[in-house]
Amino acid sequence: MTLLEQEWRQLTQAATVAEGPLFCREIHFLSTVDSTNEEVRRRAEQQAPHGSVYVAEQQTRGKGRLGRSWFSAPGAGLYFSLLLYPEKIHSAPSSFTLLAGLAVCRAIRALTNCPAMIKWPNDIVIGPKKICGILAERSLTPLGQAFIALGIGINVNAGVFPDELQKKCSSLFLETGRKQNRAALFLQTLSYLDKLYSQPEAPIADYAALCVTLGREICYSRENQILLGKAIQILPNGELLVLRSDGREEVVSSGEVSVQGIY
Ligand code: BTN
C-alpha cells in the first residue's frame, strides 16, 4: 500500500468512499508510473469507468504542457489524473482545465489559508510562484469513444526544486512552513471538482474572481509572433479575451501566456 493510500484510509476509513463524490468511488493508488495521464490512456483502452482516478507516489515521465516534463519528487506531491468520458456540455479540454483549476485553488485555500490564485489557463500560483499545473488531454479509445485525461500535479511537501525550477516553483510546505496532509488535499480537491463537474453551467464568475491574469498586461504568442495585450475576460468555454495593444480584441485559447511579475 502506498503512503498516500495509508493516509487516505486513515482519513476516510475506507479504500474508497462508497457514497462519496463520483471521483472518489474508484481510486487507484500506484507507487510508480510513467505518467498518470498515460495510465488513464491505457485504462481508457480497457474501458475503465468514467470518473476513475489514478494517483501515483512517483512519476518517471511526468508530462507538462507544451511538451515539457513535470518534476515529480517521490512522495512529495500529488500527481493524479481522472478519466472522463465527456458529455457534450463539457467537451473541450479547456473547460476541464477551468474546473480543475478552480477546484485545486479552492482546496488549497480551504486547507492552508494560502492566497492561491489561478494563472490562466492552468497554473495555480501563490504570489509569483507556481504550485500546481494541470494537463487535460483529449483522445479516442480504439472503439472511437472520446475521453479526457485530466492530470493535476500539486507541489505539496517538496523542500527543494531542481535549479532551473527554483525561481519559478514553490510548494505548500515552503509557503506555510508546515508539512501538509496530501490525502486531505486530494479529498478536498476531488470533492470540489465533483461539485463543479455536476453543475450545468461553467463557473466562470468564480474562476474569474480567483484569476490573477485578468486585468493584467500579458505577453502571448501567436503564429511565432509575441504579442502584448490586457486580459479582459474569461469566456464561457474557458478561453481568454485579450485587448491587444493595437486596440483590437482577440480570443486566446491556449499556448504560453506570461503575466508581468509572475515567474
Ligand atoms: C503544466 O503545468 O505544464 C501541467 C503539468 C501537469 C502535471 C500533472 S502530474 C499528474 C499528471 N500526469 C502527468 O504526466 N502530468 C499531469
Side-chain angles (χ1 to χ4, degrees), residues 35-37 59 61-65 70 79-81 122-123 130 133-135 151-153:
S35 148
T36 53
N37 271 31
Q59 298 185 112
R61 300 186 65 172
K63 296 195 287 183
R65 283 174 74 232
W70 180 256
Y79 319 115
F80 63 101
S81 302
N122 71 325
D123 293 345
K130 178 163 170 170
I134 296 161
L135 177 66
I152 300 177

mmCIF file with all atom_site columns, all heavy atoms in Angstrom, residues 35-37 59 61-65 70 79-81 122-123 130 133-135 151-153, ligand 1:
data_model
loop_
_atom_site.group_PDB
_atom_site.id
_atom_site.type_symbol
_atom_site.label_atom_id
_atom_site.label_alt_id
_atom_site.label_comp_id
_atom_site.label_asym_id
_atom_site.label_entity_id
_atom_site.label_seq_id
_atom_site.pdbx_PDB_ins_code
_atom_site.Cartn_x
_atom_site.Cartn_y
_atom_site.Cartn_z
_atom_site.occupancy
_atom_site.B_iso_or_equiv
_atom_site.pdbx_formal_charge
_atom_site.auth_seq_id
_atom_site.auth_comp_id
_atom_site.auth_asym_id
_atom_site.auth_atom_id
_atom_site.pdbx_PDB_model_num
ATOM   1   N N   . SER A 1 35  ? 3.484  8.191  -16.255 1.00 0.00 ? 35  SER A N   1
ATOM   2   C CA  . SER A 1 35  ? 2.711  9.417  -16.146 1.00 0.00 ? 35  SER A CA  1
ATOM   3   C C   . SER A 1 35  ? 1.274  8.992  -15.841 1.00 0.00 ? 35  SER A C   1
ATOM   4   O O   . SER A 1 35  ? 0.767  8.043  -16.468 1.00 0.00 ? 35  SER A O   1
ATOM   5   C CB  . SER A 1 35  ? 2.772  10.161 -17.488 1.00 0.00 ? 35  SER A CB  1
ATOM   6   O OG  . SER A 1 35  ? 1.591  10.886 -17.730 1.00 0.00 ? 35  SER A OG  1
ATOM   7   N N   . THR A 1 36  ? 0.622  9.638  -14.907 1.00 0.00 ? 36  THR A N   1
ATOM   8   C CA  . THR A 1 36  ? -0.757 9.237  -14.600 1.00 0.00 ? 36  THR A CA  1
ATOM   9   C C   . THR A 1 36  ? -1.686 9.525  -15.781 1.00 0.00 ? 36  THR A C   1
ATOM   10  O O   . THR A 1 36  ? -2.686 8.833  -15.962 1.00 0.00 ? 36  THR A O   1
ATOM   11  C CB  . THR A 1 36  ? -1.271 9.905  -13.303 1.00 0.00 ? 36  THR A CB  1
ATOM   12  O OG1 . THR A 1 36  ? -1.091 11.314 -13.413 1.00 0.00 ? 36  THR A OG1 1
ATOM   13  C CG2 . THR A 1 36  ? -0.541 9.392  -12.077 1.00 0.00 ? 36  THR A CG2 1
ATOM   14  N N   . ASN A 1 37  ? -1.349 10.523 -16.612 1.00 0.00 ? 37  ASN A N   1
ATOM   15  C CA  . ASN A 1 37  ? -2.165 10.742 -17.822 1.00 0.00 ? 37  ASN A CA  1
ATOM   16  C C   . ASN A 1 37  ? -2.024 9.560  -18.781 1.00 0.00 ? 37  ASN A C   1
ATOM   17  O O   . ASN A 1 37  ? -2.991 9.154  -19.437 1.00 0.00 ? 37  ASN A O   1
ATOM   18  C CB  . ASN A 1 37  ? -1.741 12.035 -18.531 1.00 0.00 ? 37  ASN A CB  1
ATOM   19  C CG  . ASN A 1 37  ? -2.487 13.252 -18.013 1.00 0.00 ? 37  ASN A CG  1
ATOM   20  O OD1 . ASN A 1 37  ? -2.858 13.302 -16.840 1.00 0.00 ? 37  ASN A OD1 1
ATOM   21  N ND2 . ASN A 1 37  ? -2.716 14.228 -18.865 1.00 0.00 ? 37  ASN A ND2 1
ATOM   22  N N   . GLN A 1 59  ? 6.257  9.763  -10.523 1.00 0.00 ? 59  GLN A N   1
ATOM   23  C CA  . GLN A 1 59  ? 6.134  9.608  -11.974 1.00 0.00 ? 59  GLN A CA  1
ATOM   24  C C   . GLN A 1 59  ? 7.539  9.649  -12.563 1.00 0.00 ? 59  GLN A C   1
ATOM   25  O O   . GLN A 1 59  ? 8.333  10.521 -12.209 1.00 0.00 ? 59  GLN A O   1
ATOM   26  C CB  . GLN A 1 59  ? 5.325  10.736 -12.584 1.00 0.00 ? 59  GLN A CB  1
ATOM   27  C CG  . GLN A 1 59  ? 3.893  10.840 -12.098 1.00 0.00 ? 59  GLN A CG  1
ATOM   28  C CD  . GLN A 1 59  ? 3.127  11.925 -12.847 1.00 0.00 ? 59  GLN A CD  1
ATOM   29  O OE1 . GLN A 1 59  ? 2.226  11.620 -13.604 1.00 0.00 ? 59  GLN A OE1 1
ATOM   30  N NE2 . GLN A 1 59  ? 3.504  13.167 -12.653 1.00 0.00 ? 59  GLN A NE2 1
ATOM   31  N N   . ARG A 1 61  ? 8.005  9.837  -15.910 1.00 0.00 ? 61  ARG A N   1
ATOM   32  C CA  . ARG A 1 61  ? 7.950  10.696 -17.102 1.00 0.00 ? 61  ARG A CA  1
ATOM   33  C C   . ARG A 1 61  ? 6.729  11.601 -17.029 1.00 0.00 ? 61  ARG A C   1
ATOM   34  O O   . ARG A 1 61  ? 5.886  11.611 -17.935 1.00 0.00 ? 61  ARG A O   1
ATOM   35  C CB  . ARG A 1 61  ? 7.896  9.838  -18.371 1.00 0.00 ? 61  ARG A CB  1
ATOM   36  C CG  . ARG A 1 61  ? 9.122  8.946  -18.503 1.00 0.00 ? 61  ARG A CG  1
ATOM   37  C CD  . ARG A 1 61  ? 9.128  8.237  -19.806 1.00 0.00 ? 61  ARG A CD  1
ATOM   38  N NE  . ARG A 1 61  ? 9.265  9.190  -20.888 1.00 0.00 ? 61  ARG A NE  1
ATOM   39  C CZ  . ARG A 1 61  ? 9.460  8.857  -22.163 1.00 0.00 ? 61  ARG A CZ  1
ATOM   40  N NH1 . ARG A 1 61  ? 9.520  7.594  -22.502 1.00 0.00 ? 61  ARG A NH1 1
ATOM   41  N NH2 . ARG A 1 61  ? 9.578  9.761  -23.091 1.00 0.00 ? 61  ARG A NH2 1
ATOM   42  N N   . GLY A 1 62  ? 6.642  12.332 -15.899 1.00 0.00 ? 62  GLY A N   1
ATOM   43  C CA  . GLY A 1 62  ? 5.516  13.254 -15.720 1.00 0.00 ? 62  GLY A CA  1
ATOM   44  C C   . GLY A 1 62  ? 5.509  14.272 -16.859 1.00 0.00 ? 62  GLY A C   1
ATOM   45  O O   . GLY A 1 62  ? 6.556  14.811 -17.214 1.00 0.00 ? 62  GLY A O   1
ATOM   46  N N   . LYS A 1 63  ? 4.332  14.511 -17.399 1.00 0.00 ? 63  LYS A N   1
ATOM   47  C CA  . LYS A 1 63  ? 4.239  15.399 -18.579 1.00 0.00 ? 63  LYS A CA  1
ATOM   48  C C   . LYS A 1 63  ? 3.664  16.752 -18.184 1.00 0.00 ? 63  LYS A C   1
ATOM   49  O O   . LYS A 1 63  ? 2.693  16.835 -17.436 1.00 0.00 ? 63  LYS A O   1
ATOM   50  C CB  . LYS A 1 63  ? 3.271  14.799 -19.612 1.00 0.00 ? 63  LYS A CB  1
ATOM   51  C CG  . LYS A 1 63  ? 3.716  13.499 -20.185 1.00 0.00 ? 63  LYS A CG  1
ATOM   52  C CD  . LYS A 1 63  ? 2.923  13.163 -21.436 1.00 0.00 ? 63  LYS A CD  1
ATOM   53  C CE  . LYS A 1 63  ? 1.502  12.746 -21.129 1.00 0.00 ? 63  LYS A CE  1
ATOM   54  N NZ  . LYS A 1 63  ? 0.745  12.343 -22.322 1.00 0.00 ? 63  LYS A NZ  1
ATOM   55  N N   . GLY A 1 64  ? 4.244  17.800 -18.742 1.00 0.00 ? 64  GLY A N   1
ATOM   56  C CA  . GLY A 1 64  ? 3.677  19.133 -18.593 1.00 0.00 ? 64  GLY A CA  1
ATOM   57  C C   . GLY A 1 64  ? 3.079  19.574 -19.919 1.00 0.00 ? 64  GLY A C   1
ATOM   58  O O   . GLY A 1 64  ? 3.057  18.808 -20.891 1.00 0.00 ? 64  GLY A O   1
ATOM   59  N N   . ARG A 1 65  ? 2.586  20.808 -19.972 1.00 0.00 ? 65  ARG A N   1
ATOM   60  C CA  . ARG A 1 65  ? 2.048  21.330 -21.231 1.00 0.00 ? 65  ARG A CA  1
ATOM   61  C C   . ARG A 1 65  ? 3.183  21.631 -22.183 1.00 0.00 ? 65  ARG A C   1
ATOM   62  O O   . ARG A 1 65  ? 4.327  21.764 -21.797 1.00 0.00 ? 65  ARG A O   1
ATOM   63  C CB  . ARG A 1 65  ? 1.263  22.613 -20.962 1.00 0.00 ? 65  ARG A CB  1
ATOM   64  C CG  . ARG A 1 65  ? -0.095 22.361 -20.367 1.00 0.00 ? 65  ARG A CG  1
ATOM   65  C CD  . ARG A 1 65  ? -0.737 23.665 -19.993 1.00 0.00 ? 65  ARG A CD  1
ATOM   66  N NE  . ARG A 1 65  ? -1.210 24.397 -21.144 1.00 0.00 ? 65  ARG A NE  1
ATOM   67  C CZ  . ARG A 1 65  ? -0.910 25.680 -21.399 1.00 0.00 ? 65  ARG A CZ  1
ATOM   68  N NH1 . ARG A 1 65  ? -0.111 26.344 -20.618 1.00 0.00 ? 65  ARG A NH1 1
ATOM   69  N NH2 . ARG A 1 65  ? -1.414 26.286 -22.446 1.00 0.00 ? 65  ARG A NH2 1
ATOM   70  N N   . TRP A 1 70  ? 7.224  17.224 -16.133 1.00 0.00 ? 70  TRP A N   1
ATOM   71  C CA  . TRP A 1 70  ? 6.716  17.690 -14.832 1.00 0.00 ? 70  TRP A CA  1
ATOM   72  C C   . TRP A 1 70  ? 7.540  17.052 -13.734 1.00 0.00 ? 70  TRP A C   1
ATOM   73  O O   . TRP A 1 70  ? 7.604  15.830 -13.627 1.00 0.00 ? 70  TRP A O   1
ATOM   74  C CB  . TRP A 1 70  ? 5.233  17.335 -14.673 1.00 0.00 ? 70  TRP A CB  1
ATOM   75  C CG  . TRP A 1 70  ? 4.663  17.801 -13.365 1.00 0.00 ? 70  TRP A CG  1
ATOM   76  C CD1 . TRP A 1 70  ? 4.392  17.027 -12.277 1.00 0.00 ? 70  TRP A CD1 1
ATOM   77  C CD2 . TRP A 1 70  ? 4.325  19.145 -13.019 1.00 0.00 ? 70  TRP A CD2 1
ATOM   78  N NE1 . TRP A 1 70  ? 3.902  17.814 -11.271 1.00 0.00 ? 70  TRP A NE1 1
ATOM   79  C CE2 . TRP A 1 70  ? 3.847  19.113 -11.685 1.00 0.00 ? 70  TRP A CE2 1
ATOM   80  C CE3 . TRP A 1 70  ? 4.372  20.375 -13.673 1.00 0.00 ? 70  TRP A CE3 1
ATOM   81  C CZ2 . TRP A 1 70  ? 3.424  20.258 -11.009 1.00 0.00 ? 70  TRP A CZ2 1
ATOM   82  C CZ3 . TRP A 1 70  ? 3.946  21.518 -13.009 1.00 0.00 ? 70  TRP A CZ3 1
ATOM   83  C CH2 . TRP A 1 70  ? 3.477  21.447 -11.699 1.00 0.00 ? 70  TRP A CH2 1
ATOM   84  N N   . TYR A 1 79  ? 0.186  13.667 -7.592  1.00 0.00 ? 79  TYR A N   1
ATOM   85  C CA  . TYR A 1 79  ? 0.232  13.509 -9.050  1.00 0.00 ? 79  TYR A CA  1
ATOM   86  C C   . TYR A 1 79  ? -0.921 12.582 -9.411  1.00 0.00 ? 79  TYR A C   1
ATOM   87  O O   . TYR A 1 79  ? -0.864 11.394 -9.116  1.00 0.00 ? 79  TYR A O   1
ATOM   88  C CB  . TYR A 1 79  ? 1.562  12.883 -9.494  1.00 0.00 ? 79  TYR A CB  1
ATOM   89  C CG  . TYR A 1 79  ? 2.758  13.440 -8.746  1.00 0.00 ? 79  TYR A CG  1
ATOM   90  C CD1 . TYR A 1 79  ? 3.516  12.632 -7.899  1.00 0.00 ? 79  TYR A CD1 1
ATOM   91  C CD2 . TYR A 1 79  ? 3.119  14.779 -8.880  1.00 0.00 ? 79  TYR A CD2 1
ATOM   92  C CE1 . TYR A 1 79  ? 4.596  13.143 -7.195  1.00 0.00 ? 79  TYR A CE1 1
ATOM   93  C CE2 . TYR A 1 79  ? 4.192  15.308 -8.177  1.00 0.00 ? 79  TYR A CE2 1
ATOM   94  C CZ  . TYR A 1 79  ? 4.918  14.471 -7.334  1.00 0.00 ? 79  TYR A CZ  1
ATOM   95  O OH  . TYR A 1 79  ? 5.980  14.995 -6.624  1.00 0.00 ? 79  TYR A OH  1
ATOM   96  N N   . PHE A 1 80  ? -1.969 13.138 -9.981  1.00 0.00 ? 80  PHE A N   1
ATOM   97  C CA  . PHE A 1 80  ? -3.111 12.271 -10.282 1.00 0.00 ? 80  PHE A CA  1
ATOM   98  C C   . PHE A 1 80  ? -3.837 12.713 -11.539 1.00 0.00 ? 80  PHE A C   1
ATOM   99  O O   . PHE A 1 80  ? -3.714 13.853 -11.985 1.00 0.00 ? 80  PHE A O   1
ATOM   100 C CB  . PHE A 1 80  ? -4.081 12.196 -9.090  1.00 0.00 ? 80  PHE A CB  1
ATOM   101 C CG  . PHE A 1 80  ? -4.738 13.496 -8.698  1.00 0.00 ? 80  PHE A CG  1
ATOM   102 C CD1 . PHE A 1 80  ? -6.040 13.781 -9.079  1.00 0.00 ? 80  PHE A CD1 1
ATOM   103 C CD2 . PHE A 1 80  ? -4.064 14.422 -7.915  1.00 0.00 ? 80  PHE A CD2 1
ATOM   104 C CE1 . PHE A 1 80  ? -6.659 14.963 -8.690  1.00 0.00 ? 80  PHE A CE1 1
ATOM   105 C CE2 . PHE A 1 80  ? -4.669 15.613 -7.521  1.00 0.00 ? 80  PHE A CE2 1
ATOM   106 C CZ  . PHE A 1 80  ? -5.960 15.883 -7.911  1.00 0.00 ? 80  PHE A CZ  1
ATOM   107 N N   . SER A 1 81  ? -4.566 11.739 -12.105 1.00 0.00 ? 81  SER A N   1
ATOM   108 C CA  . SER A 1 81  ? -5.336 12.006 -13.326 1.00 0.00 ? 81  SER A CA  1
ATOM   109 C C   . SER A 1 81  ? -6.689 11.340 -13.217 1.00 0.00 ? 81  SER A C   1
ATOM   110 O O   . SER A 1 81  ? -6.820 10.246 -12.653 1.00 0.00 ? 81  SER A O   1
ATOM   111 C CB  . SER A 1 81  ? -4.618 11.445 -14.558 1.00 0.00 ? 81  SER A CB  1
ATOM   112 O OG  . SER A 1 81  ? -3.331 11.995 -14.667 1.00 0.00 ? 81  SER A OG  1
ATOM   113 N N   . ASN A 1 122 ? -3.947 27.284 -16.698 1.00 0.00 ? 122 ASN A N   1
ATOM   114 C CA  . ASN A 1 122 ? -3.875 26.010 -15.976 1.00 0.00 ? 122 ASN A CA  1
ATOM   115 C C   . ASN A 1 122 ? -2.878 25.957 -14.834 1.00 0.00 ? 122 ASN A C   1
ATOM   116 O O   . ASN A 1 122 ? -2.492 24.873 -14.433 1.00 0.00 ? 122 ASN A O   1
ATOM   117 C CB  . ASN A 1 122 ? -3.505 24.901 -16.969 1.00 0.00 ? 122 ASN A CB  1
ATOM   118 C CG  . ASN A 1 122 ? -2.065 25.042 -17.408 1.00 0.00 ? 122 ASN A CG  1
ATOM   119 O OD1 . ASN A 1 122 ? -1.573 26.163 -17.535 1.00 0.00 ? 122 ASN A OD1 1
ATOM   120 N ND2 . ASN A 1 122 ? -1.372 23.948 -17.579 1.00 0.00 ? 122 ASN A ND2 1
ATOM   121 N N   . ASP A 1 123 ? -2.453 27.096 -14.347 1.00 0.00 ? 123 ASP A N   1
ATOM   122 C CA  . ASP A 1 123 ? -1.492 27.051 -13.239 1.00 0.00 ? 123 ASP A CA  1
ATOM   123 C C   . ASP A 1 123 ? -2.125 27.618 -11.983 1.00 0.00 ? 123 ASP A C   1
ATOM   124 O O   . ASP A 1 123 ? -2.912 28.562 -12.061 1.00 0.00 ? 123 ASP A O   1
ATOM   125 C CB  . ASP A 1 123 ? -0.262 27.915 -13.537 1.00 0.00 ? 123 ASP A CB  1
ATOM   126 C CG  . ASP A 1 123 ? 0.566  27.366 -14.691 1.00 0.00 ? 123 ASP A CG  1
ATOM   127 O OD1 . ASP A 1 123 ? 0.351  26.199 -15.068 1.00 0.00 ? 123 ASP A OD1 1
ATOM   128 O OD2 . ASP A 1 123 ? 1.421  28.118 -15.193 1.00 0.00 ? 123 ASP A OD2 1
ATOM   129 N N   . LYS A 1 130 ? 4.726  29.082 -8.939  1.00 0.00 ? 130 LYS A N   1
ATOM   130 C CA  . LYS A 1 130 ? 3.777  28.041 -9.344  1.00 0.00 ? 130 LYS A CA  1
ATOM   131 C C   . LYS A 1 130 ? 3.745  26.903 -8.321  1.00 0.00 ? 130 LYS A C   1
ATOM   132 O O   . LYS A 1 130 ? 4.780  26.384 -7.920  1.00 0.00 ? 130 LYS A O   1
ATOM   133 C CB  . LYS A 1 130 ? 4.211  27.515 -10.717 1.00 0.00 ? 130 LYS A CB  1
ATOM   134 C CG  . LYS A 1 130 ? 3.360  26.397 -11.272 1.00 0.00 ? 130 LYS A CG  1
ATOM   135 C CD  . LYS A 1 130 ? 3.600  26.249 -12.761 1.00 0.00 ? 130 LYS A CD  1
ATOM   136 C CE  . LYS A 1 130 ? 2.971  25.004 -13.345 1.00 0.00 ? 130 LYS A CE  1
ATOM   137 N NZ  . LYS A 1 130 ? 3.010  24.979 -14.810 1.00 0.00 ? 130 LYS A NZ  1
ATOM   138 N N   . GLY A 1 133 ? 0.165  22.460 -11.641 1.00 0.00 ? 133 GLY A N   1
ATOM   139 C CA  . GLY A 1 133 ? -0.077 22.530 -13.072 1.00 0.00 ? 133 GLY A CA  1
ATOM   140 C C   . GLY A 1 133 ? -1.135 21.508 -13.461 1.00 0.00 ? 133 GLY A C   1
ATOM   141 O O   . GLY A 1 133 ? -1.303 20.479 -12.785 1.00 0.00 ? 133 GLY A O   1
ATOM   142 N N   . ILE A 1 134 ? -1.852 21.806 -14.521 1.00 0.00 ? 134 ILE A N   1
ATOM   143 C CA  . ILE A 1 134 ? -2.963 20.946 -14.954 1.00 0.00 ? 134 ILE A CA  1
ATOM   144 C C   . ILE A 1 134 ? -2.800 20.641 -16.441 1.00 0.00 ? 134 ILE A C   1
ATOM   145 O O   . ILE A 1 134 ? -2.491 21.546 -17.225 1.00 0.00 ? 134 ILE A O   1
ATOM   146 C CB  . ILE A 1 134 ? -4.311 21.663 -14.695 1.00 0.00 ? 134 ILE A CB  1
ATOM   147 C CG1 . ILE A 1 134 ? -4.488 21.861 -13.177 1.00 0.00 ? 134 ILE A CG1 1
ATOM   148 C CG2 . ILE A 1 134 ? -5.485 20.875 -15.277 1.00 0.00 ? 134 ILE A CG2 1
ATOM   149 C CD1 . ILE A 1 134 ? -5.496 22.908 -12.814 1.00 0.00 ? 134 ILE A CD1 1
ATOM   150 N N   . LEU A 1 135 ? -2.984 19.398 -16.794 1.00 0.00 ? 135 LEU A N   1
ATOM   151 C CA  . LEU A 1 135 ? -2.839 18.998 -18.196 1.00 0.00 ? 135 LEU A CA  1
ATOM   152 C C   . LEU A 1 135 ? -4.040 18.157 -18.602 1.00 0.00 ? 135 LEU A C   1
ATOM   153 O O   . LEU A 1 135 ? -4.187 17.016 -18.162 1.00 0.00 ? 135 LEU A O   1
ATOM   154 C CB  . LEU A 1 135 ? -1.543 18.179 -18.363 1.00 0.00 ? 135 LEU A CB  1
ATOM   155 C CG  . LEU A 1 135 ? -1.266 17.619 -19.748 1.00 0.00 ? 135 LEU A CG  1
ATOM   156 C CD1 . LEU A 1 135 ? -1.016 18.754 -20.748 1.00 0.00 ? 135 LEU A CD1 1
ATOM   157 C CD2 . LEU A 1 135 ? -0.050 16.685 -19.716 1.00 0.00 ? 135 LEU A CD2 1
ATOM   158 N N   . GLY A 1 151 ? -5.115 15.667 -15.851 1.00 0.00 ? 151 GLY A N   1
ATOM   159 C CA  . GLY A 1 151 ? -3.982 15.440 -14.950 1.00 0.00 ? 151 GLY A CA  1
ATOM   160 C C   . GLY A 1 151 ? -3.690 16.664 -14.098 1.00 0.00 ? 151 GLY A C   1
ATOM   161 O O   . GLY A 1 151 ? -3.695 17.799 -14.591 1.00 0.00 ? 151 GLY A O   1
ATOM   162 N N   . ILE A 1 152 ? -3.443 16.409 -12.831 1.00 0.00 ? 152 ILE A N   1
ATOM   163 C CA  . ILE A 1 152 ? -3.194 17.503 -11.882 1.00 0.00 ? 152 ILE A CA  1
ATOM   164 C C   . ILE A 1 152 ? -1.924 17.171 -11.086 1.00 0.00 ? 152 ILE A C   1
ATOM   165 O O   . ILE A 1 152 ? -1.795 16.073 -10.547 1.00 0.00 ? 152 ILE A O   1
ATOM   166 C CB  . ILE A 1 152 ? -4.394 17.651 -10.907 1.00 0.00 ? 152 ILE A CB  1
ATOM   167 C CG1 . ILE A 1 152 ? -5.673 17.955 -11.707 1.00 0.00 ? 152 ILE A CG1 1
ATOM   168 C CG2 . ILE A 1 152 ? -4.119 18.737 -9.865  1.00 0.00 ? 152 ILE A CG2 1
ATOM   169 C CD1 . ILE A 1 152 ? -6.937 18.054 -10.879 1.00 0.00 ? 152 ILE A CD1 1
ATOM   170 N N   . GLY A 1 153 ? -1.005 18.095 -11.062 1.00 0.00 ? 153 GLY A N   1
ATOM   171 C CA  . GLY A 1 153 ? 0.216  17.915 -10.269 1.00 0.00 ? 153 GLY A CA  1
ATOM   172 C C   . GLY A 1 153 ? 0.328  19.050 -9.265  1.00 0.00 ? 153 GLY A C   1
ATOM   173 O O   . GLY A 1 153 ? 0.317  20.221 -9.652  1.00 0.00 ? 153 GLY A O   1
HETATM 174 C C1  . BTN B 2 .   ? 1.868  22.020 -16.669 1.00 0.00 ? 1   BTN B C1  1
HETATM 175 O O1  . BTN B 2 .   ? 1.843  22.914 -15.826 1.00 0.00 ? 1   BTN B O1  1
HETATM 176 O O2  . BTN B 2 .   ? 2.617  22.107 -17.656 1.00 0.00 ? 1   BTN B O2  1
HETATM 177 C C2  . BTN B 2 .   ? 0.971  20.830 -16.498 1.00 0.00 ? 1   BTN B C2  1
HETATM 178 C C3  . BTN B 2 .   ? 1.543  19.855 -15.528 1.00 0.00 ? 1   BTN B C3  1
HETATM 179 C C4  . BTN B 2 .   ? 0.641  18.664 -15.259 1.00 0.00 ? 1   BTN B C4  1
HETATM 180 C C5  . BTN B 2 .   ? 1.300  17.655 -14.356 1.00 0.00 ? 1   BTN B C5  1
HETATM 181 C C6  . BTN B 2 .   ? 0.387  16.540 -13.969 1.00 0.00 ? 1   BTN B C6  1
HETATM 182 S S1  . BTN B 2 .   ? 1.078  15.491 -12.742 1.00 0.00 ? 1   BTN B S1  1
HETATM 183 C C7  . BTN B 2 .   ? -0.204 14.349 -12.966 1.00 0.00 ? 1   BTN B C7  1
HETATM 184 C C8  . BTN B 2 .   ? -0.487 14.271 -14.438 1.00 0.00 ? 1   BTN B C8  1
HETATM 185 N N1  . BTN B 2 .   ? 0.398  13.316 -15.082 1.00 0.00 ? 1   BTN B N1  1
HETATM 186 C C9  . BTN B 2 .   ? 1.253  13.888 -15.909 1.00 0.00 ? 1   BTN B C9  1
HETATM 187 O O3  . BTN B 2 .   ? 2.118  13.284 -16.570 1.00 0.00 ? 1   BTN B O3  1
HETATM 188 N N2  . BTN B 2 .   ? 1.041  15.207 -15.946 1.00 0.00 ? 1   BTN B N2  1
HETATM 189 C C10 . BTN B 2 .   ? -0.046 15.600 -15.084 1.00 0.00 ? 1   BTN B C10 1
#
